Amino acid sequence: MRTRDTEILHAGEGMPSAATPITTPIYSATTFAFPNAAELERFQQGKSDHYIYSRYGNPTVQAAEAKLAAAEGGESAMVTSSGMAATSTALFGLLQTGDEVVCASSIYGGTLQVLTQFLDRFGITTRFVSLEALTHVGSLLGPKTKVVWFETPTNPTLRCVDIAGVTEACRARGVLSIVDNTFASPINQRPLALGADLVMHSATKYLNGHSDVTAGALIGSRAIIDRLAPARKLLGGILEPASAYALARGMKTLAVRVAQHNANAQAVAEFLERQPQVSRVFYPGLASHPDAAIARAQMTGFGGMICFECAGGYEGAVRTFDRVQLFQRAASLGGVESLCSLPVLTSQYGLDDTQLAAAGVTRGMLRLSVGLESSRDLIDDLGQALA
Ligand code: PLP
């Protein structure tokens, strides 16, 4: 007979055998019990799919990973505690001292800083190249180049890189290509089908879609994800189960959300292009976009991100930014609610004119993350803010 205190501790724990949930529950347990030594030994030999410890793997996390692999058309996926955890897990997992990364210079600031402030310390160098140079990347790959990293569309001007062109050149030289697919989402663009070895996401954005989870993802072949497993396990960047549950729930509506983001952004971009207070609109779904042909060839939708330049320069951009009422003045992107940001006060803050010119950014630019409100209301809001 056990004592009452022991009974309170153990009663009701574990999964009830009569319950068949239609969603994978949040397995908040940090550790999982084994029936006997034989099963534990099988696990250690890699012959058992048993779970042991939630930093290594967890059923709720695995449910989110299955959805990510399905979305990107990859054999396997890994979710992490942020987009930056995905980036650092991939880079530290694949590279060693003496290796070189070739990276597009139009890249998320955090990615750039990991390369220049951390990998650099371990003797892993990075060559930053323009998007134009990336179109003939074959000639840039040296004997030390192990990884080519780029994102498309880019932030904030939504320039597009010909994924198949770059990945083909990488394959020919045995170099891994990694694409940050955050802006497009797998609904609009699937880099693995275009030859990429690994896709990275800030799942904080469209994949979760509700601005309430910070997460990241890596998707690719089973071989490459297995190669990265020790880095996630030992650097400790796995996503925790409650966030993995929220991410998996967000993924269920990804396709319908992205279809609406695409439609709303196209309508808003076409509206902005007609406004005299707007000197230029950057949206891959507009014929005026410099990379419209690349976008049409590799994307099935053009996403929810728009950048535009106010004719009144910085003062015009600030005035518009301060006057929007439905768009919220906030960084980040990809959620159901529409956001407006000023690149020179966020992603490009502190850059001088030469650096801004290199990034293709001007002081009069505003960036929109077009959400799921009615496009009529979004257009009315921008109309009154610009007037
Ligand atoms: N990649 C892109 C394109 C991003 O926009 C971001 C974040 O804004 C990241 C990576 C980093 O993701 P996280 O903030 O989830 O770490």
Side-chain angles (χ1 to χ4, degrees):
M1 197 58 177
R2 290 176 176 155
T3 66
R4 186 193 59 182
D5 292 358
T6 302
E7 276 306 315
I8 293 172
L9 217 152
H10 287 279
E13 293 297 341
M15 294 301 291
S17 55
T20 312
I22 60 164
T23 61
T24 304
I26 301 173
Y27 285 81
S28 54
T30 53
T31 187
F32 298 87
F34 281 78
N36 50 42
E39 185 63 18
L40 182 53
E41 192 170 4
R42 275 171 33 79
F43 173 85
Q44 295 296 13
Q45 292 165 345
K47 295 178 186 160
S48 155
D49 53 10
H50 216 283
Y51 297 93
I52 183 165
Y53 187 54
S54 281
R55 175 162 54 78
Y56 303 1
N58 169 288
T60 313
V61 172
Q62 207 169 34
E65 290 171 343
K67 291 190 194 305
L68 278 154
E72 284 288 1
E75 281 177 352
S76 190
M78 164 184 284
V79 297
T80 54
S81 57
S82 67
M84 287 315 301
T87 298
S88 52
T89 299
L91 293 171
F92 280 107
L94 294 171
L95 297 164
Q96 58 186 26
T97 303
D99 288 347
E100 179 194 65
V101 178
V102 168
C103 182
S105 45
S106 300
I107 199 80
Y108 175 65
T111 310
L112 182 137
Q113 288 173 42
V114 166
L115 291 164
T116 55
Q117 296 179 20
F118 285 90
L119 289 179
D120 201 47
R121 289 194 212 162
F122 300 98
I124 298 161
T125 54
T126 304
R127 198 142 43 100
F128 291 98
V129 301
S130 67
L131 295 180
E132 286 65 34
L134 211 54
T135 58
H136 42 85
V137 69
S139 61
L140 303 173
L141 305 176
K144 292 180 173 177
T145 316
K146 294 294 180 314
V147 162
V148 170
W149 185 294
F150 62 100
E151 58 193 49
T152 178
T154 63
N155 180 31
T157 54
L158 303 152
R159 295 293 311 273
C160 299
V161 176
D162 169 11
I163 300 174
V166 174
T167 61
E168 200 183 317
C170 289
R171 253 161 218 267
R173 302 285 292 269
V175 171
L176 293 172
S177 54
I178 307 182
V179 180
D180 180 338
N181 203 27
T182 300
F183 268 48
S185 94
I187 304 304
N188 288 331
Q189 177 173 279
R190 303 223 293 183
L192 297 177
L194 298 167
D197 292 294
L198 192 65
V199 169
M200 176 265 158
H201 275 280
S202 167
T204 314
K205 312 298 186 325
Y206 288 103
L207 299 182
N208 170 63
H210 295 77
S211 313
D212 55 5
V213 167
T214 301
L218 296 167
I219 308 103
S221 66
R222 194 166 311 285
I224 195 163
I225 298 298
D226 285 353
R227 194 173 151 195
L228 294 172
R232 184 182 68 173
K233 179 174 159 182
L234 298 172
L235 298 174
I238 197 169
L239 187 62
E240 54 82 33
S243 295
Y245 180 85
L247 172 58
R249 185 170 58 186
M251 292 282 300
K252 293 178 199 178
T253 57
L254 181 66
V256 285
R257 281 189 287 109
V258 170
Q260 197 60 38
H261 284 296
N262 291 344
N264 278 0
Q266 184 74 38
V268 168
E270 287 173 10
F271 165 79
L272 288 171
E273 213 170 31
R274 295 192 300 269
Q275 304 313 301
Q277 304 92 336
V278 173
S279 50
R280 196 152 176 211
V281 183
F282 298 83
Y283 183 67
L286 293 177
S288 59
H289 191 275
D291 304 317
I294 297 175
R296 269 199 302 276
Q298 68 189 18
M299 300 179 83
T300 52
F302 304 111
M305 300 303 297
I306 299 174
C307 181
F308 68 99
E309 194 170 19
C310 293
Y314 182 67
E315 286 72 27
V318 166
R319 205 163 41 239
T320 308
F321 182 74
D322 283 347
R323 287 171 62 164
V324 286
Q325 291 171 2
L326 186 53
F327 282 85
Q328 299 183 69
R329 287 167 283 277
S332 198
L333 62 122
V336 296
E337 52 290 285
S338 290
L339 306 179
C340 178
S341 75
L342 254 171
V344 288
L345 290 187
T346 50
S347 48
Q348 269 76 27
Y349 182 68
L351 300 193
D352 62 28
D353 285 342
T354 317
Q355 290 167 318
L356 285 178
V361 173
T362 68
R363 296 190 190 279
M365 276 180 180
L366 286 173
R367 192 189 79 174
L368 303 177
S369 173
V370 178
L372 302 186
E373 300 90 343
S374 149
S375 60
R376 187 70 264 147
D377 294 333
L378 294 171
I379 286 170
D380 284 351
D381 189 30
L382 290 168
Q384 67 76 27
L386 287 164

